[in-house]
Amino acid sequence: MTTTRATTTRAAGTTGPALTTQAAPAAGAAQPPATGADRAAPETPAPPAPLSLYGFLRPRPERADEVRRLLASLVESTRAEEGNLEYHLHEHDDGRLFLYEVWRSQEDLDRHNAHPPLRAFLDNIADYLAEAPEAYAGTMVSRYPAAD
């Protein structure tokens, strides 16, 4: 006679209701050979959440027009890059520029940051700005439909 006990499985990292309940042989009981139907399909990992970057740049007064033109010239080409989900440049009344970017992955952002026109700006950023950039980065918590 084979004795079984019930087991419950949950999605990794969750404490909510059980996803499935199945019968499993009790400890020490003989187990039938596995068939193709008994083998669990490997789980496909969820894609990483998009990466957001946002911040303020205050150009030096004598270079404000140059910085504005340079950053504005990058908008369309950046939006066409693989992995770019959003790229926006805003200007505030006080002359600060605000950038908002969303990237599919860190790898996509790294590739973007290696482009020569942007790299030249980033490597010499202190020459263009009156103060250090006020910059933030984070992983998007809310669902981003374009990343699906």
Side-chain angles (χ1 to χ4, degrees):
M1 178 171 155
T2 302
T3 307
T4 61
R5 60 185 166 79
T7 60
T8 304
T9 59
R10 300 183 193 285
T14 65
T15 57
L19 298 175
T20 60
T21 302
Q22 58 193 13
Q31 295 186 18
T35 65
D38 295 335
R39 291 187 199 114
E43 289 188 30
T44 303
L51 178 66
S52 318
L53 297 145
Y54 41 97
F56 291 95
L57 305 173
R58 184 180 301 280
R60 293 180 182 272
E62 68 276 12
R63 299 197 84 175
D65 289 338
E66 180 183 4
V67 171
R68 186 182 312 102
R69 277 193 309 272
L70 173 68
L71 294 177
S73 75
L74 298 174
V75 172
E76 292 307 317
S77 62
T78 298
R79 288 177 177 170
E81 289 179 38
E82 180 181 349
N84 179 260
L85 303 175
E86 289 197 46
Y87 192 85
H88 303 282
L89 175 64
H90 306 264
E91 185 169 8
H92 287 257
D93 291 341
D94 64 3
R96 288 180 303 156
L97 300 170
F98 178 77
L99 282 169
Y100 177 71
E101 309 175 39
V102 180
W103 294 90
R104 179 181 57 197
S105 69
Q106 183 65 52
E107 180 181 278
D108 294 321
L109 175 60
D110 292 344
R111 191 173 33 256
H112 165 70
N113 285 337
H115 285 171
L118 179 59
R119 188 76 262 150
F121 175 72
L122 294 174
D123 288 346
N124 298 295
I125 200 164
D127 295 340
Y128 293 98
L129 303 183
E131 58 192 38
E134 181 183 342
Y136 305 92
T139 302
M140 191 171 285
V141 175
S142 60
R143 186 177 153 275
Y144 193 86
D148 292 343

